[in-house]
Amino acid sequence: MAETFLKQGVKNVVITLDQRVSFSKTETGNWMKAFKVKVIDTTAAGDAFLGGLAFGLSENKSIREV
């Protein structure tokens, strides 16, 4: 699916699979594994993750910095 979005012009694709794995793929073809963290409560975890990512990108940070 990431390849499909990249071919349509999307610059970065983020895929969250579950609490264990999250990937990011850029137009350069690089995959990044998510940081491992201790999970306390998964309520709204995806929302919090994507909110933090969006904020970091809005502050002109690269996807690797966020």
Side-chain angles (χ1 to χ4, degrees):
M1 185 51 68
E3 295 294 332
T4 300
F5 286 125
L6 291 170
K7 286 177 184 174
Q8 292 177 355
V10 174
K11 304 271 187 234
N12 297 288
V13 178
V14 176
I15 300 171
T16 57
L17 301 174
D18 59 26
Q19 73 273 13
R20 294 169 290 150
V21 183
S22 174
F23 293 102
S24 170
K25 185 164 175 103
T26 65
E27 32 182 9
T28 60
N30 297 322
W31 283 100
M32 297 184 308
K33 273 200 156 192
F35 293 104
K36 198 151 184 105
V37 296
K38 182 180 176 184
V39 177
I40 297 172
D41 183 355
T42 60
T43 304
D47 295 334
F49 170 77
L50 293 174
L53 177 63
F55 176 77
L57 294 174
S58 75
E59 294 287 308
N60 296 316
K61 294 186 178 191
S62 74
I63 199 160
R64 288 197 178 274
E65 292 177 288
V66 178

Tab-separated table of all heavy atoms in Angstrom:
chain	number	residue	atom	x	y	z
A	1	MET	N	0.831	-1.191	0.000
A	1	MET	CA	0.000	0.000	0.000
A	1	MET	C	0.879	1.259	0.000
A	1	MET	O	0.560	2.223	-0.671
A	1	MET	CB	-0.935	-0.024	1.201
A	1	MET	CG	-1.931	1.120	1.221
A	1	MET	SD	-2.912	1.440	-0.261
A	1	MET	CE	-3.971	0.059	-0.363
A	2	ALA	N	1.979	1.221	0.766
A	2	ALA	CA	2.869	2.387	0.807
A	2	ALA	C	3.391	2.722	-0.586
A	2	ALA	O	3.432	3.885	-0.975
A	2	ALA	CB	4.028	2.138	1.759
A	3	GLU	N	3.774	1.699	-1.337
A	3	GLU	CA	4.285	1.922	-2.689
A	3	GLU	C	3.237	2.598	-3.575
A	3	GLU	O	3.553	3.474	-4.361
A	3	GLU	CB	4.710	0.591	-3.321
A	3	GLU	CG	5.882	-0.066	-2.634
A	3	GLU	CD	7.168	0.727	-2.767
A	3	GLU	OE1	7.335	1.466	-3.760
A	3	GLU	OE2	7.999	0.611	-1.862
A	4	THR	N	1.987	2.210	-3.427
A	4	THR	CA	0.902	2.808	-4.212
A	4	THR	C	0.790	4.299	-3.940
A	4	THR	O	0.697	5.111	-4.860
A	4	THR	CB	-0.439	2.117	-3.897
A	4	THR	OG1	-0.320	0.735	-4.214
A	4	THR	CG2	-1.584	2.732	-4.681
A	5	PHE	N	0.808	4.677	-2.657
A	5	PHE	CA	0.728	6.099	-2.299
A	5	PHE	C	1.932	6.873	-2.818
A	5	PHE	O	1.806	7.981	-3.322
A	5	PHE	CB	0.604	6.274	-0.786
A	5	PHE	CG	-0.749	5.920	-0.249
A	5	PHE	CD1	-0.881	4.983	0.756
A	5	PHE	CD2	-1.893	6.527	-0.731
A	5	PHE	CE1	-2.123	4.647	1.265
A	5	PHE	CE2	-3.148	6.200	-0.242
A	5	PHE	CZ	-3.262	5.262	0.763
A	6	LEU	N	3.140	6.300	-2.691
A	6	LEU	CA	4.344	6.979	-3.160
A	6	LEU	C	4.295	7.195	-4.669
A	6	LEU	O	4.691	8.251	-5.157
A	6	LEU	CB	5.591	6.179	-2.766
A	6	LEU	CG	5.884	6.153	-1.266
A	6	LEU	CD1	6.978	5.148	-0.957
A	6	LEU	CD2	6.272	7.533	-0.753
A	7	LYS	N	3.791	6.216	-5.409
A	7	LYS	CA	3.675	6.355	-6.861
A	7	LYS	C	2.669	7.432	-7.244
A	7	LYS	O	2.756	8.007	-8.322
A	7	LYS	CB	3.268	5.022	-7.483
A	7	LYS	CG	4.391	4.015	-7.500
A	7	LYS	CD	3.934	2.687	-8.065
A	7	LYS	CE	5.064	1.670	-7.966
A	7	LYS	NZ	4.613	0.325	-8.379
A	8	GLN	N	1.725	7.737	-6.348
A	8	GLN	CA	0.724	8.776	-6.611
A	8	GLN	C	1.203	10.152	-6.164
A	8	GLN	O	0.453	11.120	-6.232
A	8	GLN	CB	-0.584	8.421	-5.912
A	8	GLN	CG	-1.246	7.200	-6.508
A	8	GLN	CD	-2.506	6.795	-5.764
A	8	GLN	OE1	-2.867	7.357	-4.738
A	8	GLN	NE2	-3.176	5.796	-6.292
A	9	GLY	N	2.442	10.263	-5.663
A	9	GLY	CA	3.006	11.552	-5.319
A	9	GLY	C	3.105	11.868	-3.838
A	9	GLY	O	3.610	12.920	-3.462
A	10	VAL	N	2.623	10.975	-2.988
A	10	VAL	CA	2.750	11.192	-1.543
A	10	VAL	C	4.232	11.099	-1.185
A	10	VAL	O	4.945	10.227	-1.677
A	10	VAL	CB	1.927	10.131	-0.765
A	10	VAL	CG1	2.161	10.242	0.720
A	10	VAL	CG2	0.452	10.269	-1.099
A	11	LYS	N	4.729	12.012	-0.354
A	11	LYS	CA	6.152	12.063	-0.026
A	11	LYS	C	6.556	11.092	1.086
A	11	LYS	O	7.643	10.537	1.066
A	11	LYS	CB	6.545	13.484	0.396
A	11	LYS	CG	6.225	14.526	-0.632
A	11	LYS	CD	7.371	14.695	-1.587
A	11	LYS	CE	7.101	15.864	-2.505
A	11	LYS	NZ	7.197	15.542	-3.888
A	12	ASN	N	5.706	10.921	2.079
A	12	ASN	CA	5.991	10.029	3.209
A	12	ASN	C	4.733	9.261	3.566
A	12	ASN	O	3.642	9.826	3.578
A	12	ASN	CB	6.423	10.819	4.452
A	12	ASN	CG	7.700	11.575	4.226
A	12	ASN	OD1	8.769	10.993	4.149
A	12	ASN	ND2	7.594	12.886	4.100
A	13	VAL	N	4.887	7.982	3.872
A	13	VAL	CA	3.775	7.140	4.286
A	13	VAL	C	4.106	6.561	5.655
A	13	VAL	O	5.192	6.033	5.860
A	13	VAL	CB	3.530	5.987	3.283
A	13	VAL	CG1	2.398	5.095	3.748
A	13	VAL	CG2	3.261	6.531	1.889
A	14	VAL	N	3.183	6.682	6.585
A	14	VAL	CA	3.343	6.108	7.923
A	14	VAL	C	2.282	5.039	8.091
A	14	VAL	O	1.104	5.298	7.860
A	14	VAL	CB	3.204	7.178	9.029
A	14	VAL	CG1	3.273	6.540	10.406
A	14	VAL	CG2	4.282	8.236	8.869
A	15	ILE	N	2.714	3.851	8.480
A	15	ILE	CA	1.795	2.732	8.691
A	15	ILE	C	1.956	2.256	10.128
A	15	ILE	O	3.057	1.900	10.539
A	15	ILE	CB	2.101	1.579	7.723
A	15	ILE	CG1	1.969	2.046	6.279
A	15	ILE	CG2	1.180	0.387	8.014
A	15	ILE	CD1	2.448	1.037	5.257
A	16	THR	N	0.868	2.286	10.871
A	16	THR	CA	0.893	1.721	12.225
A	16	THR	C	0.128	0.412	12.166
A	16	THR	O	-1.022	0.371	11.737
A	16	THR	CB	0.264	2.679	13.255
A	16	THR	OG1	-1.060	2.987	12.848
A	16	THR	CG2	1.059	3.967	13.363
A	17	LEU	N	0.769	-0.671	12.590
A	17	LEU	CA	0.157	-1.986	12.492
A	17	LEU	C	-0.483	-2.419	13.809
A	17	LEU	O	-1.569	-2.951	13.827
A	17	LEU	CB	1.200	-3.012	12.047
A	17	LEU	CG	1.861	-2.707	10.698
A	17	LEU	CD1	2.982	-3.694	10.420
A	17	LEU	CD2	0.836	-2.760	9.589
A	18	ASP	N	0.204	-2.238	14.883
A	18	ASP	CA	-0.321	-2.533	16.216
A	18	ASP	C	0.672	-1.985	17.228
A	18	ASP	O	1.531	-1.198	16.879
A	18	ASP	CB	-0.584	-4.027	16.422
A	18	ASP	CG	0.650	-4.904	16.241
A	18	ASP	OD1	1.778	-4.401	16.431
A	18	ASP	OD2	0.491	-6.087	15.925
A	19	GLN	N	0.568	-2.403	18.474
A	19	GLN	CA	1.455	-1.842	19.502
A	19	GLN	C	2.913	-2.249	19.315
A	19	GLN	O	3.796	-1.668	19.908
A	19	GLN	CB	0.981	-2.248	20.903
A	19	GLN	CG	1.210	-3.694	21.278
A	19	GLN	CD	0.097	-4.633	20.843
A	19	GLN	OE1	-0.757	-4.259	20.040
A	19	GLN	NE2	0.092	-5.831	21.349
A	20	ARG	N	3.178	-3.213	18.452
A	20	ARG	CA	4.544	-3.688	18.283
A	20	ARG	C	5.293	-3.038	17.136
A	20	ARG	O	6.499	-2.914	17.175
A	20	ARG	CB	4.553	-5.209	18.074
A	20	ARG	CG	4.089	-5.978	19.280
A	20	ARG	CD	3.874	-7.430	18.928
A	20	ARG	NE	2.697	-7.486	18.052
A	20	ARG	CZ	2.517	-8.399	17.111
A	20	ARG	NH1	3.407	-9.322	16.898
A	20	ARG	NH2	1.428	-8.378	16.371
A	21	VAL	N	4.584	-2.649	16.085
A	21	VAL	CA	5.275	-2.238	14.866
A	21	VAL	C	4.638	-1.000	14.246
A	21	VAL	O	3.428	-0.894	14.154
A	21	VAL	CB	5.236	-3.376	13.813
A	21	VAL	CG1	6.004	-2.990	12.578
A	21	VAL	CG2	5.794	-4.662	14.388
A	22	SER	N	5.483	-0.079	13.833
A	22	SER	CA	5.066	1.090	13.068
A	22	SER	C	6.177	1.367	12.070
A	22	SER	O	7.348	1.311	12.415
A	22	SER	CB	4.874	2.280	13.995
A	22	SER	OG	4.600	3.428	13.259
A	23	PHE	N	5.821	1.652	10.831
A	23	PHE	CA	6.814	1.889	9.796
A	23	PHE	C	6.570	3.224	9.117
A	23	PHE	O	5.449	3.692	9.042
A	23	PHE	CB	6.756	0.810	8.709
A	23	PHE	CG	7.165	-0.549	9.159
A	23	PHE	CD1	6.218	-1.507	9.425
A	23	PHE	CD2	8.497	-0.874	9.307
A	23	PHE	CE1	6.578	-2.775	9.827
A	23	PHE	CE2	8.869	-2.135	9.710
A	23	PHE	CZ	7.914	-3.091	9.969
A	24	SER	N	7.636	3.788	8.612
A	24	SER	CA	7.548	4.986	7.790
A	24	SER	C	8.346	4.718	6.535
A	24	SER	O	9.446	4.179	6.599
A	24	SER	CB	8.139	6.181	8.535
A	24	SER	OG	8.261	7.274	7.664
A	25	LYS	N	7.810	5.062	5.389
A	25	LYS	CA	8.537	4.894	4.138
A	25	LYS	C	8.552	6.233	3.419
A	25	LYS	O	7.539	6.898	3.310
A	25	LYS	CB	7.875	3.840	3.260
A	25	LYS	CG	8.696	3.559	2.012
A	25	LYS	CD	8.266	2.280	1.365
A	25	LYS	CE	9.015	2.093	0.071
A	25	LYS	NZ	10.071	1.170	0.117
A	26	THR	N	9.727	6.615	2.955
A	26	THR	CA	9.885	7.887	2.252
A	26	THR	C	10.080	7.620	0.771
A	26	THR	O	10.274	6.478	0.347
A	26	THR	CB	11.097	8.660	2.797
A	26	THR	OG1	12.277	7.915	2.491
A	26	THR	CG2	10.988	8.867	4.294
A	27	GLU	N	10.055	8.678	-0.018
A	27	GLU	CA	10.254	8.509	-1.453
A	27	GLU	C	11.638	7.974	-1.783
A	27	GLU	O	11.866	7.425	-2.849
A	27	GLU	CB	9.967	9.799	-2.221
A	27	GLU	CG	10.269	11.047	-1.521
A	27	GLU	CD	9.928	12.285	-2.319
A	27	GLU	OE1	9.290	12.215	-3.374
A	27	GLU	OE2	10.331	13.357	-1.870
A	28	THR	N	12.602	8.084	-0.852
A	28	THR	CA	13.941	7.534	-1.084
A	28	THR	C	13.979	6.035	-0.823
A	28	THR	O	14.974	5.389	-1.079
A	28	THR	CB	14.989	8.222	-0.184
A	28	THR	OG1	14.633	8.001	1.177
A	28	THR	CG2	15.093	9.696	-0.481
A	29	GLY	N	12.886	5.487	-0.311
A	29	GLY	CA	12.809	4.051	-0.123
A	29	GLY	C	13.232	3.570	1.248
A	29	GLY	O	13.371	2.380	1.460
A	30	ASN	N	13.443	4.459	2.195
A	30	ASN	CA	13.913	4.062	3.518
A	30	ASN	C	12.755	3.718	4.448
A	30	ASN	O	11.807	4.480	4.582
A	30	ASN	CB	14.730	5.193	4.155
A	30	ASN	CG	15.971	5.496	3.352
A	30	ASN	OD1	16.610	4.607	2.823
A	30	ASN	ND2	16.305	6.758	3.247
A	31	TRP	N	12.849	2.591	5.102
A	31	TRP	CA	11.889	2.195	6.132
A	31	TRP	C	12.493	2.507	7.480
A	31	TRP	O	13.696	2.349	7.675
A	31	TRP	CB	11.601	0.696	6.070
A	31	TRP	CG	10.679	0.306	4.971
A	31	TRP	CD1	11.053	-0.215	3.765
A	31	TRP	CD2	9.267	0.387	4.957
A	31	TRP	NE1	9.946	-0.459	3.002
A	31	TRP	CE2	8.842	-0.108	3.709
A	31	TRP	CE3	8.309	0.818	5.869
A	31	TRP	CZ2	7.495	-0.175	3.363
A	31	TRP	CZ3	6.983	0.746	5.521
A	31	TRP	CH2	6.583	0.256	4.281
A	32	MET	N	11.701	2.953	8.414
A	32	MET	CA	12.162	3.205	9.779
A	32	MET	C	11.276	2.416	10.729
A	32	MET	O	10.057	2.520	10.653
A	32	MET	CB	12.058	4.691	10.126
A	32	MET	CG	12.917	5.577	9.288
A	32	MET	SD	12.890	7.322	9.786
A	32	MET	CE	11.157	7.699	9.854
A	33	LYS	N	11.895	1.637	11.602
A	33	LYS	CA	11.124	0.934	12.615
A	33	LYS	C	10.815	1.886	13.758
A	33	LYS	O	11.567	2.794	14.050
A	33	LYS	CB	11.911	-0.256	13.154
A	33	LYS	CG	11.719	-1.499	12.351
A	33	LYS	CD	12.095	-2.691	13.172
A	33	LYS	CE	11.350	-3.867	12.605
A	33	LYS	NZ	11.406	-5.018	13.443
A	34	ALA	N	9.715	1.632	14.405
A	34	ALA	CA	9.303	2.465	15.540
A	34	ALA	C	10.206	2.218	16.742
A	34	ALA	O	10.800	1.155	16.878
A	34	ALA	CB	7.862	2.144	15.912
A	35	PHE	N	10.277	3.224	17.615
A	35	PHE	CA	10.965	3.057	18.884
A	35	PHE	C	10.165	2.126	19.773
A	35	PHE	O	8.938	2.157	19.767
A	35	PHE	CB	11.124	4.403	19.608
A	35	PHE	CG	12.050	5.353	18.912
A	35	PHE	CD1	11.541	6.418	18.187
A	35	PHE	CD2	13.415	5.182	18.975
A	35	PHE	CE1	12.379	7.299	17.537
A	35	PHE	CE2	14.272	6.051	18.338
A	35	PHE	CZ	13.756	7.118	17.618
A	36	LYS	N	10.846	1.323	20.536
A	36	LYS	CA	10.171	0.449	21.479
A	36	LYS	C	9.904	1.240	22.758
A	36	LYS	O	10.794	1.897	23.281
A	36	LYS	CB	11.054	-0.759	21.780
A	36	LYS	CG	10.328	-1.905	22.384
A	36	LYS	CD	11.045	-3.181	21.992
A	36	LYS	CE	10.282	-4.356	22.502
A	36	LYS	NZ	9.548	-5.076	21.545
A	37	VAL	N	8.679	1.212	23.226
A	37	VAL	CA	8.309	1.921	24.455
A	37	VAL	C	7.503	0.995	25.345
A	37	VAL	O	6.894	0.029	24.882
A	37	VAL	CB	7.471	3.194	24.156
A	37	VAL	CG1	8.278	4.205	23.369
A	37	VAL	CG2	6.190	2.860	23.437
A	38	LYS	N	7.502	1.280	26.625
A	38	LYS	CA	6.698	0.517	27.563
A	38	LYS	C	5.255	1.027	27.472
A	38	LYS	O	4.984	2.202	27.690
A	38	LYS	CB	7.229	0.688	28.982
A	38	LYS	CG	6.450	-0.117	29.999
A	38	LYS	CD	6.993	0.058	31.396
A	38	LYS	CE	6.109	-0.699	32.355
A	38	LYS	NZ	6.506	-0.493	33.727
A	39	VAL	N	4.346	0.125	27.156
A	39	VAL	CA	2.938	0.494	27.001
A	39	VAL	C	2.238	0.399	28.350
A	39	VAL	O	2.327	-0.610	29.041
A	39	VAL	CB	2.247	-0.432	25.980
A	39	VAL	CG1	0.775	-0.112	25.876
A	39	VAL	CG2	2.935	-0.324	24.628
A	40	ILE	N	1.556	1.480	28.712
A	40	ILE	CA	0.785	1.500	29.960
A	40	ILE	C	-0.698	1.411	29.638
A	40	ILE	O	-1.434	0.649	30.250
A	40	ILE	CB	1.103	2.770	30.775
A	40	ILE	CG1	2.573	2.746	31.177
A	40	ILE	CG2	0.199	2.876	31.991
A	40	ILE	CD1	3.065	4.016	31.803
A	41	ASP	N	-1.145	2.172	28.661
A	41	ASP	CA	-2.552	2.189	28.278
A	41	ASP	C	-2.614	2.494	26.787
A	41	ASP	O	-2.047	3.476	26.329
A	41	ASP	CB	-3.294	3.259	29.074
A	41	ASP	CG	-4.781	3.305	28.798
A	41	ASP	OD1	-5.258	2.572	27.904
A	41	ASP	OD2	-5.479	4.074	29.473
A	42	THR	N	-3.290	1.657	26.019
A	42	THR	CA	-3.324	1.848	24.568
A	42	THR	C	-4.484	2.720	24.098
A	42	THR	O	-4.622	2.961	22.907
A	42	THR	CB	-3.412	0.492	23.839
A	42	THR	OG1	-4.603	-0.177	24.255
A	42	THR	CG2	-2.190	-0.359	24.143
A	43	THR	N	-5.294	3.225	25.031
A	43	THR	CA	-6.421	4.081	24.656
A	43	THR	C	-5.905	5.293	23.885
A	43	THR	O	-5.060	6.036	24.376
A	43	THR	CB	-7.197	4.550	25.899
A	43	THR	OG1	-7.615	3.408	26.629
A	43	THR	CG2	-8.391	5.399	25.513
A	44	ALA	N	-6.369	5.466	22.682
A	44	ALA	CA	-6.013	6.598	21.808
A	44	ALA	C	-4.524	6.653	21.475
A	44	ALA	O	-4.012	7.707	21.112
A	44	ALA	CB	-6.481	7.912	22.412
A	45	ALA	N	-3.836	5.522	21.553
A	45	ALA	CA	-2.401	5.505	21.266
A	45	ALA	C	-2.110	5.957	19.838
A	45	ALA	O	-1.188	6.741	19.600
A	45	ALA	CB	-1.823	4.112	21.511
A	46	GLY	N	-2.893	5.466	18.874
A	46	GLY	CA	-2.685	5.874	17.484
A	46	GLY	C	-2.937	7.348	17.287
A	46	GLY	O	-2.196	8.029	16.573
A	47	ASP	N	-3.977	7.869	17.932
A	47	ASP	CA	-4.277	9.304	17.837
A	47	ASP	C	-3.133	10.129	18.417
A	47	ASP	O	-2.730	11.143	17.834
A	47	ASP	CB	-5.568	9.637	18.578
A	47	ASP	CG	-6.788	8.975	17.953
A	47	ASP	OD1	-6.743	8.687	16.737
A	47	ASP	OD2	-7.772	8.761	18.669
A	48	ALA	N	-2.611	9.707	19.566
A	48	ALA	CA	-1.509	10.434	20.201
A	48	ALA	C	-0.255	10.384	19.327
A	48	ALA	O	0.435	11.390	19.147
A	48	ALA	CB	-1.223	9.860	21.581
A	49	PHE	N	0.029	9.214	18.778
A	49	PHE	CA	1.196	9.054	17.908
A	49	PHE	C	1.096	9.976	16.694
A	49	PHE	O	2.016	10.727	16.381
A	49	PHE	CB	1.321	7.591	17.466
A	49	PHE	CG	2.332	7.375	16.381
A	49	PHE	CD1	3.686	7.362	16.674
A	49	PHE	CD2	1.938	7.197	15.069
A	49	PHE	CE1	4.630	7.170	15.677
A	49	PHE	CE2	2.860	7.009	14.057
A	49	PHE	CZ	4.214	6.993	14.367
A	50	LEU	N	-0.037	9.916	15.998
A	50	LEU	CA	-0.195	10.725	14.788
A	50	LEU	C	-0.288	12.212	15.104
A	50	LEU	O	0.192	13.043	14.325
A	50	LEU	CB	-1.413	10.251	14.001
A	50	LEU	CG	-1.251	8.841	13.410
A	50	LEU	CD1	-2.543	8.361	12.776
A	50	LEU	CD2	-0.107	8.795	12.418
A	51	GLY	N	-0.864	12.567	16.255
A	51	GLY	CA	-0.895	13.968	16.669
A	51	GLY	C	0.513	14.503	16.911
A	51	GLY	O	0.854	15.612	16.488
A	52	GLY	N	1.337	13.717	17.593
A	52	GLY	CA	2.727	14.110	17.828
A	52	GLY	C	3.508	14.211	16.532
A	52	GLY	O	4.308	15.132	16.336
A	53	LEU	N	3.270	13.276	15.632
A	53	LEU	CA	3.935	13.299	14.330
A	53	LEU	C	3.534	14.544	13.548
A	53	LEU	O	4.383	15.258	13.014
A	53	LEU	CB	3.577	12.040	13.544
A	53	LEU	CG	4.144	11.942	12.134
A	53	LEU	CD1	5.660	11.896	12.153
A	53	LEU	CD2	3.565	10.736	11.421
A	54	ALA	N	2.236	14.830	13.498
A	54	ALA	CA	1.751	16.007	12.773
A	54	ALA	C	2.326	17.290	13.367
A	54	ALA	O	2.733	18.200	12.635
A	54	ALA	CB	0.223	16.050	12.799
A	55	PHE	N	2.375	17.366	14.693
A	55	PHE	CA	2.928	18.560	15.336
A	55	PHE	C	4.400	18.733	14.970
A	55	PHE	O	4.836	19.825	14.603
A	55	PHE	CB	2.767	18.496	16.852
A	55	PHE	CG	3.408	19.654	17.549
A	55	PHE	CD1	2.797	20.897	17.555
A	55	PHE	CD2	4.641	19.520	18.176
A	55	PHE	CE1	3.390	21.986	18.173
A	55	PHE	CE2	5.245	20.597	18.800
A	55	PHE	CZ	4.620	21.831	18.798
A	56	GLY	N	5.171	17.660	15.080
A	56	GLY	CA	6.594	17.741	14.742
A	56	GLY	C	6.816	18.172	13.303
A	56	GLY	O	7.658	19.023	13.020
A	57	LEU	N	6.043	17.608	12.383
A	57	LEU	CA	6.175	17.989	10.980
A	57	LEU	C	5.755	19.438	10.755
A	57	LEU	O	6.347	20.139	9.935
A	57	LEU	CB	5.354	17.045	10.093
A	57	LEU	CG	5.834	15.589	10.055
A	57	LEU	CD1	4.859	14.729	9.262
A	57	LEU	CD2	7.242	15.475	9.499
A	58	SER	N	4.749	19.910	11.510
A	58	SER	CA	4.320	21.306	11.377
A	58	SER	C	5.372	22.277	11.903
A	58	SER	O	5.368	23.446	11.553
A	58	SER	CB	2.992	21.544	12.098
A	58	SER	OG	3.172	21.595	13.498
A	59	GLU	N	6.283	21.780	12.739
A	59	GLU	CA	7.392	22.582	13.256
A	59	GLU	C	8.630	22.459	12.363
A	59	GLU	O	9.739	22.769	12.790
A	59	GLU	CB	7.729	22.141	14.681
A	59	GLU	CG	6.626	22.430	15.693
A	59	GLU	CD	6.515	23.899	16.013
A	59	GLU	OE1	7.542	24.519	16.358
A	59	GLU	OE2	5.390	24.432	15.913
A	60	ASN	N	8.424	21.964	11.146
A	60	ASN	CA	9.480	21.802	10.142
A	60	ASN	C	10.566	20.811	10.529
A	60	ASN	O	11.696	20.903	10.060
A	60	ASN	CB	10.101	23.155	9.759
A	60	ASN	CG	9.091	24.056	9.105
A	60	ASN	OD1	8.326	23.616	8.253
A	60	ASN	ND2	9.072	25.313	9.499
A	61	LYS	N	10.226	19.860	11.384
A	61	LYS	CA	11.172	18.777	11.704
A	61	LYS	C	11.039	17.694	10.656
A	61	LYS	O	9.958	17.502	10.093
A	61	LYS	CB	10.887	18.217	13.084
A	61	LYS	CG	11.157	19.224	14.180
A	61	LYS	CD	11.012	18.610	15.536
A	61	LYS	CE	11.341	19.677	16.568
A	61	LYS	NZ	11.477	19.152	17.889
A	62	SER	N	12.133	16.997	10.379
A	62	SER	CA	12.058	15.892	9.429
A	62	SER	C	11.348	14.722	10.097
A	62	SER	O	11.249	14.655	11.331
A	62	SER	CB	13.472	15.469	8.999
A	62	SER	OG	14.107	14.762	10.044
A	63	ILE	N	10.904	13.794	9.286
A	63	ILE	CA	10.206	12.638	9.835
A	63	ILE	C	11.126	11.824	10.748
A	63	ILE	O	10.690	11.209	11.697
A	63	ILE	CB	9.580	11.775	8.709
A	63	ILE	CG1	8.508	10.890	9.280
A	63	ILE	CG2	10.641	11.034	7.929
A	63	ILE	CD1	7.531	10.377	8.270
A	64	ARG	N	12.416	11.858	10.503
A	64	ARG	CA	13.378	11.147	11.363
A	64	ARG	C	13.559	11.853	12.707
A	64	ARG	O	13.842	11.223	13.702
A	64	ARG	CB	14.722	11.010	10.673
A	64	ARG	CG	14.675	10.002	9.548
A	64	ARG	CD	16.080	9.568	9.160
A	64	ARG	NE	16.049	8.578	8.130
A	64	ARG	CZ	15.923	7.272	8.344
A	64	ARG	NH1	15.791	6.820	9.553
A	64	ARG	NH2	15.906	6.432	7.340
A	65	GLU	N	13.405	13.168	12.741
A	65	GLU	CA	13.534	13.918	13.999
A	65	GLU	C	12.318	13.747	14.892
A	65	GLU	O	12.421	13.824	16.107
A	65	GLU	CB	13.720	15.409	13.725
A	65	GLU	CG	15.014	15.769	13.084
A	65	GLU	CD	15.073	17.256	12.791
A	65	GLU	OE1	14.352	17.701	11.866
A	65	GLU	OE2	15.830	17.944	13.491
A	66	VAL	N	11.163	13.585	14.262
A	66	VAL	CA	9.924	13.475	15.015
A	66	VAL	C	9.897	12.132	15.664
A	66	VAL	O	9.748	11.890	16.756
A	66	VAL	CB	8.692	13.648	14.114
A	66	VAL	CG1	7.416	13.479	14.900
A	66	VAL	CG2	8.715	14.960	13.406
